[in-house]
Amino acid sequence: MLLLRRLLFGVLAGLLPGAIVAVVAEPPWTEWAVHAVVLGAVLGLLVGGRGQSFGSAFSVGLLTGLLDWVVWTLSLRPVWEGQRPSWTIEEAVSGFPGLVAAVLFGATAGLICHALALWRPPRPAPQPAKPHVVVVGGGFGGVGAARELD
């Protein structure tokens, strides 16, 4: 259940910054939507725990965005399009706007994911326990008796 919750929070955290990046950077919508959901799910697994701070979630999101840019934009997308990946300076410079978008997306999604992980649905107030007294009696070889008083 906890893993599913982390994945769900990650996907939700990826949708808002993914939509903002899609409007500003204008990448292909379908590709970016799938990309945002997958990257959000990864961030949910990495950041979805409660043992982190907002700074840590920001850093993990930022580095995940950087890794995403290197793996997807520079490596897998050219292969997807039938080309060979070329990790040259010219390719990296031409993909710089994508780097900015991926890093901002990751950092923002990391913060949102951490904020969602901190959120808990309200729980009903606990009922106070009724006080009770237990009296135990007995001795060697005898059978003890226990009784609860209200």
Side-chain angles (χ1 to χ4, degrees), residues 134-137 144-148:
V134 177
V135 177
V136 179
R147 184 173 90 155
E148 184 174 321

Side-chain angles (χ1 to χ4, degrees), residues 2 6 9 43-52 113-114 117-118:
L2 181 63
R6 291 172 88 174
F9 282 170
L43 279 171
L45 293 175
L46 294 174
V47 180
R50 295 180 184 270
Q52 299 180 3
C113 188
H114 182 66
L118 292 176

Side-chain angles (χ1 to χ4, degrees), residues 4 9-10 12 18 24 34 37-38 43 57-58 63 72 88 90-91 94 96 101 103 110 113-114 117 119-120 129:
L4 182 62
F9 282 170
L12 290 175
V24 173
V34 171
V37 167
V38 169
L43 279 171
F58 178 82
L63 291 173
W72 175 251
T88 62
E90 292 80 22
E91 287 290 324
S94 70
F96 183 74
V103 167
C113 188
H114 182 66
W119 174 77
R120 286 186 177 181

Side-chain angles (χ1 to χ4, degrees), residues 74-89:
L74 295 182
S75 303
L76 295 178
R77 181 185 280 164
V79 172
W80 183 268
E81 294 171 350
Q83 304 167 2
R84 291 182 55 195
S86 62
W87 297 286
T88 62
I89 296 296

